Every structure is written in C-alpha cells, then in structure tokens.
Amino acid sequence: MADIITDVLIIGTGPAGSATAALLSSYGVENMVVNRYRWLANTPRAHITNQRTMEVLRDLGPEVEAEAYMHCTEQDLMGENVFCESLAGEELGRMKSWGSHPLSRAEHHLSSPTMMNDLPQTLMEPLLFKTACSRGTQARMSTEYKSHVQDADGVTTTCLDRLTGKDITIRSKYLIGADGGNSKVAEDLGLPFEGKMGVGGSMNIMFRADLSKYVAHRPSVLYWVMQPGADVGGIGMGLVRMVRPWNEWLIVWGYDINQPAPEVTPEIATGVARQLVGDPDLEIELLSANTWTVNNMFATHMQKDRVFIMGDAAHRHPPSNGLGSNTSIQDGFNLAWKLAAVLRGEAGPALLDTYSQERAPIARQIVTRANQSIAEFGPIFEALGMDGGTDIEKIQASMDARCDATHAAEKQREALRKAFAFKKYEFDAHGVEMNQRYSSAAAVTDGQPEPAFTKDKELHYQPTTWPGARLPHAWVYDQAGKRHSTLDLTGKGRFTILTGISGERWTKAAETVGKALGLTIVVHVIGPRRTWVDHHGDWATSREIEESGCVLVRPDHHVAWRAMTLPDDPAGELMRALRSVLGREPGGVAQTQEEVA
C-alpha cells in the first residue's frame, strides 16, 4: 500500500514542474509536486520571459499575468545589449535587442497580447508554485526522488523524506520528471539523448552594488565585457547581467572546462566584479558564487509509457537566447491538457504519445540554437583581435587599431559593426520564440501543406492557422467595446471553435459532437452584432479560411484542425477531426453510441 495516492506526481518545482502543476490544478486534476530542497530557486538563473510564456501565464488567469508584470523589469528597461571594455571603460558598440528596435517592437505588438520582460527565476518560480498550491496542488519539500516502477495501471515512486530519513511511496497514474539537467528520472527511464554534457565551464557571481552611474543612461539586461587579459571561456569574455535595476547583478565568467572548477572565494569574486565593472575601489555586497557547466544535449524522445520528462531534464543548454525556462513552461502547457483529457476519459492514451512527437523537435531546435549562439561570438572576437593567443599587448593593440584613420581600421570597424548586428540571432530572435509548429496526430492537416516562411524564420514570427501552429493573435471586441485577444477566447483547458456569421451551424455541430465525446467545445462566432466583433478586420485577414469555415483550437492555443468552408456535414467532419486528435480511433477510448451513430 502506497503512503500517498495522486493522479499525477511531478518531480521538481522549477518552471516546468510548477507550471505543469498550476495548469493541472486549474484543469481540476489531482496532482502532487515534490522538491528535494527545502524551498524554491535561490539564484535568478533564468530570467528572459518571452511572449509565448507570458501567454501561458495569461491563460492561467489575469491575476497571474498581472503579478508577473508587477515584479518584472519591463521591456523598455531590457534595453540594448552593450559591448564594452568595462562598465566604466570604453563602449565598443551596442545592438537593439529584445524587441527594442522599432520594427521588431511592431512585430511584438502585432504578434501577441503580452509583452516580453525580464523576470528572474527567483520571482517566476514562486509565482507558479503559489498558483499551483492555491488551486489544489499538494506540495512536499525536502522530498527526494529515488526510483520508480511503472505497470499497466500506474507508477509507484519511492522518495526519501529528507527530514526524517525515511522512504515514502507515492502511487500515481502518471509521473513527470521535471528534475533538471541531471535528471534521475530521465536516467532511470533510459531515454535516448544526443549531444554532450560539460562542453564549457562558467561561474556565477551574484552581488549588490549601485552601478547607476555606469548604466542608467543606457539600460540593458546584458553588458558584455571584452577585456584584454580576461579569461576567455563559457559564454564570452565576461558578462555583467542586471538582475534588478540597477543595484543587483550577476557576473558570468568562464573557466577552462578541461581544468578543475575553480574555488570562487570572496576575494576572487570581488576582484572579478571590480575588473569587469572597471572600478578598483568598488564596494560590493557579495551574495553568492557558484560554478556550472555549459551543456549541449537533448532528448530525442521524452516519454516512456506513463512517465514523461520536461524542462532541463529534456533540453540541456546554455542560457543563450533566453530559451530555458520559456521552453520548460511551454512543455508543461503542451502536456497538461493532454493528461487532463485522458484522466477525464475524454481522450485515449494515444493522445499522450503526441507530447514527445511535438516537443522533442523543439528540444533539438532550442539546444542547437542556444549553442550556435555561443559560436556566433566568434566574429566579434575576430574583429577585435581576440580570436588567437593570449598576448594581452597584442590584443590591446588590435582593439586600439580600430580607431586609426587607415583602410585596415575602416575594414575592422565595419567587421565589428556587422559582428554586433549578427547577434540579433541570439538577442532578437522573435521567430525562434514564436514559430513553433507541431506535427502529430493531435494536429489534423487534411493534407493542407505547411505554409512556407517568407522571411527568416528565426528572426520573424509568421502567423498561420495551419493545424499544428499557434493560433494567430488578433484583437476582437465585445459588445461593450472592450478588446480581447483571439487567444483569450481560447485555452483554459477547453477546445474552441472560431467561425464567422456564415458558419453559425458550427455551434450546433459542436453541441452534437461535444455530447457524443463527453467534452465541452466552446464556439465563438465573430461578426457584426454578434458577441465578438472584428472591428479592425485583423481576424479576417489572419484566419486563412472562409467566413463559413472554422478553426478548431486546442487548449494550448495550437490549431487542432480547420475547415476552409462549411461542409455539408459539419458535425461529421468535426467528429472525425476530434476523434483523431483525441486518440479515439479504433483501439482508443471506447466509442459511445452517439459516436457510432
């Protein structure tokens, strides 16, 4: 007999685990989350929060989204990446990042009802954890995962209660390993991975100091220090990252991964801070110092029967592009509604197979992108003469030479400008964040070809209602004149149909199919004198279907299916699509009499 019984057990309370718990509880699914430590994140390691993640928080409720904005550093203060010899020293250049360029900002505004921001993990994690617990999640701290055994009906997990030193057993129908880059759940499952751990070494130095005089006039999240004599390694020469403007900071400093990790003493930490800031007399309040490794590894499959992995357990990479916690939270958004549908009997187990089919390619993509971004510092080092050897005088001479009135110096300046601009693939890659399109049985295309990207798909988001893509955002208005995003009309754990006045028959079709399948399908008719009005015509422009057609949207905002026009039998076509999405084909959930009819 197990000590504890629940529907879903989640190992880890990080962004992935806490977000999944919050979503499951919002959907009415009983779940428990455990953490081997006594509390949540104690360092602000993840911080960039992109629009897609903010859409997940928005889906959790306006109060969750509002609290994130209340605590974050807003987009305007995320500013422009600064490259310099030190914060007090000469500036080498800067680039407009995180949507600060007017053209990029316009794309952000057109793409989502949310705004990207900087929300350190020390603030994001408690917000998600609190939301989960307040909605019903059972949480146990100081509880360490040891092992699990699964059978046809569920999973029995053994954990160590670190307060008493005794083992406890937890019986659940499903188990989720959100236990970080050294995931024991993934190891126990024997899941396949590609890549390599420990490809680089870095140390974090957290401190408080008022640096307003060096940075307030040029706000930024990241100040990259290109300094002759600095120890090249990790993700650059040296990084001074804003945690809270302008008095809390985190320095990232590389070390040779082939050597033992250095002991970061208070003296060393203070010395590094003073060197990168460029103030030999700087007084700092040292908060912490630790070392970590840069990884380049991802799971090619993220589940085995009743056990799943997500977050850093599945995709292990450097912080480049700010993809870590964002991808982790989005893993949870993908899996939570599927677990809820299966546990409620609305879907067959085959639906759960689509989790790995959809998210494993994303894991590969973002790990590849994050590590590629490190390599893309190469042109900067080359332009400054930092790409070979450790001759400090030679490097300094090369950096100084860019100021000369010579043809060679002119070419060097041009190379440096281009090298800085090229970093937009790391610091303004809107397409990487928003262009995720799924290919699985949970997205029924009916043979409709995927739209080709007309712009660089890493830099620019391209909206489409092609099944598998995220629903395009457009503002529509209620009868009181208040605007709502099309994303606001969807989600919340439900399937949603969007159609026009000529497609009002979809309402009856949804009632018929919903009754047969035992689930609620919400229908929104958009048009004049209806509940929702498309005053700007933006939805009509982006829907890619005729007014009589429909877009069927999954609970995670991704399109499940679309009908270009109203068919002769809308209920039959909707039934066909939803049975496929939900895994209710022969061999799946038993068909009801209504389905057979």
Side-chain angles (χ1 to χ4, degrees):
M1 176 73 70
D3 297 302
I4 301 170
I5 298 175
T6 189
D7 281 342
V8 181
L9 174 62
I10 304 166
I11 310 299
T13 59
S18 289
T20 305
L23 289 160
L24 288 172
S25 288
S26 300
Y27 302 157
V29 174
E30 183 180 325
N31 67 93
M32 170 174 282
V33 61
V34 302
N35 181 350
R36 64 175 297 178
Y37 302 107
R38 66 177 181 83
W39 193 231
L40 307 177
N42 60 356
T43 61
R45 41 196 180 270
H47 59 115
I48 300 297
T49 307
N50 64 37
Q51 288 179 298
R52 186 61 185 131
T53 293
M54 287 305 302
E55 290 170 358
V56 179
L57 270 59
R58 188 181 180 96
D59 191 78
L60 282 168
E63 72 282 6
V64 180
E65 181 190 22
E67 188 168 343
Y69 287 139
M70 180 175 68
H71 291 299
C72 76
T73 297
E74 63 180 3
Q75 189 171 12
D76 286 338
L77 288 181
M78 294 174 71
E80 303 176 354
N81 271 359
V82 173
F83 300 87
C84 55
E85 291 195 21
S86 69
L87 266 61
E90 183 178 5
E91 183 174 325
L92 303 171
R94 65 178 82 172
M95 63 159 291
K96 295 185 181 297
S97 52
W98 315 122
S100 62
H101 190 286
L103 294 176
S104 181
R105 180 64 62 91
E107 285 196 19
H108 279 70
H109 281 310
L110 291 169
S111 301
S112 175
T114 67
M115 297 172 288
M116 76 175 307
N117 58 78
D118 188 287
L119 187 63
Q121 190 168 338
T122 44
L123 298 174
M124 171 69 86
E125 202 169 300
L127 171 58
L128 295 170
F129 184 73
K130 176 187 71 174
T131 301
C133 294
S134 67
R135 297 183 182 182
T137 295
Q138 294 284 351
R140 283 187 68 112
M141 313 306 283
S142 300
T143 302
E144 181 178 353
Y145 166 85
K146 292 182 67 176
S147 63
H148 75 270
V149 176
Q150 60 174 316
D151 52 51
D153 301 315
V155 186
T156 300
T157 302
T158 301
C159 293
L160 170 67
D161 184 331
R162 301 181 74 185
L163 298 180
T164 65
K166 297 179 180 179
D167 285 349
I168 58 172
T169 56
I170 305 172
R171 180 69 176 175
S172 60
K173 295 174 182 174
Y174 296 97
L175 172 67
I176 297 173
D179 50 338
N182 294 310
S183 171
K184 192 172 188 308
V185 176
E187 180 183 348
D188 290 348
L189 281 177
L191 291 173
F193 279 80
E194 290 185 11
K196 183 180 179 182
M197 297 285 280
V199 297
S202 285
M203 68 177 77
N204 284 353
I205 300 169
M206 277 194 62
F207 68 97
R208 290 195 184 100
D210 184 0
L211 303 182
S212 298
K213 65 180 179 180
Y214 301 124
V215 300
H217 61 288
R218 48 177 181 176
S220 178
V221 171
L222 305 175
Y223 297 85
W224 298 92
V225 179
M226 308 294 171
Q227 191 175 99
D231 182 16
V232 180
I235 57 176
M237 302 300 292
L239 170 64
V240 183
R241 175 192 138 195
M242 180 276 295
V243 178
R244 306 299 287 170
W246 303 110
N247 61 1
E248 191 170 330
W249 303 89
L250 186 149
I251 282 177
V252 182
W253 183 261
Y255 71 87
D256 187 348
I257 192 64
N258 297 310
Q259 300 296 323
E263 179 184 357
V264 190
T265 64
E267 293 74 21
I268 291 176
T270 300
V272 170
R274 288 174 174 171
Q275 181 180 356
L276 296 191
V277 173
D279 184 346
D281 300 318
L282 179 69
E283 292 295 327
I284 73 168
E285 178 188 352
L286 182 63
L287 300 177
S288 67
N290 64 285
T291 59
W292 51 279
T293 60
V294 177
N295 302 314
N296 185 358
M297 180 175 280
F298 55 87
T300 57
H301 196 69
M302 295 169 58
Q303 62 190 102
K304 186 174 182 181
D305 300 323
R306 291 177 173 268
V307 185
F308 308 84
I309 62 169
M310 61 171 55
D312 289 352
H315 29 85
R316 308 166 187 183
H317 55 91
S320 314
N321 288 77
L323 298 169
S325 65
N326 292 293
T327 307
S328 300
I329 290 169
Q330 292 156 32
D331 286 344
F333 202 31
N334 183 285
L335 180 59
W337 74 267
K338 297 174 180 177
L339 285 171
V342 172
L343 287 166
R344 289 195 294 254
E346 298 168 354
L351 174 62
L352 299 178
D353 295 338
T354 67
Y355 168 67
S356 187
Q357 293 167 12
E358 294 181 346
R359 294 305 294 176
I362 304 301
R364 176 188 294 270
Q365 175 198 3
I366 64 103
V367 170
T368 301
R369 177 66 257 175
N371 280 275
Q372 184 177 335
S373 290
I374 293 180
E376 288 171 356
F377 274 96
I380 297 176
F381 296 147
E382 183 178 353
L384 291 172
M386 293 181 166
D387 57 328
T390 57
D391 188 331
I392 298 174
E393 292 184 1
K394 182 179 179 181
I395 294 174
Q396 187 64 63
S398 176
M399 294 178 68
D400 293 341
R402 80 187 195 286
C403 303
D404 295 342
T406 64
H407 180 65
E410 184 178 338
K411 291 181 63 177
Q412 185 183 13
R413 290 190 291 270
E414 181 183 10
L416 188 58
R417 286 194 301 270
K418 289 181 177 179
F420 287 151
F422 189 61
K423 290 303 290 177
K424 62 187 177 183
Y425 281 92
E426 177 175 359
F427 302 121
D428 203 19
H430 196 224
V432 172
E433 300 168 357
M434 302 290 284
N435 274 329
Q436 295 178 9
R437 299 177 180 178
Y438 297 148
S439 179
S440 78
V444 180
T445 65
D446 287 340
Q448 300 167 15
E450 179 180 358
F453 287 96
T454 56
K455 294 182 179 180
D456 189 315
K457 67 179 182 179
E458 289 199 305
L459 296 180
H460 303 285
Y461 165 60
Q462 181 169 309
T464 177
T465 60
W466 182 75
R470 164 191 166 275
L471 178 72
H473 154 70
W475 291 116
V476 295
Y477 294 80
D478 62 24
Q479 290 302 307
K482 182 180 179 181
R483 71 177 187 177
H484 303 260
S485 171
T486 46
L487 297 172
D488 297 334
L489 273 55
T490 64
K492 304 294 190 296
R494 306 167 304 187
F495 280 89
T496 306
I497 285 176
L498 301 181
T499 188
I501 294 176
S502 300
E504 287 183 313
R505 285 178 59 196
W506 288 109
T507 302
K508 180 61 177 176
E511 291 176 359
T512 302
V513 174
K515 181 180 178 181
L517 296 178
L519 75 158
T520 300
I521 307 170
V522 178
V523 180
H524 293 299
V525 178
I526 301 174
R529 298 186 182 177
R530 299 305 189 270
T531 303
W532 308 106
V533 184
D534 184 18
H535 286 314
H536 297 295
D538 291 341
W539 169 243
T541 301
S542 60
R543 69 191 180 202
E544 298 178 325
I545 60 170
E546 298 296 325
E547 185 184 290
S548 66
C550 83
V551 178
L552 175 66
V553 187
R554 306 184 334 185
D556 61 355
H557 301 156
H558 281 256
V559 177
W561 173 73
R562 66 181 179 182
M564 306 305 289
T565 59
L566 183 70
D568 293 335
D569 181 13
E573 288 298 293
L574 180 60
M575 176 73 79
R576 174 186 63 83
L578 267 172
R579 282 178 54 195
S580 177
V581 168
L582 295 172
R584 296 182 71 150
E585 296 290 351
V589 172
Q591 294 174 300
T592 65
Q593 290 182 348
E594 289 89 344
E595 286 182 82
V596 174

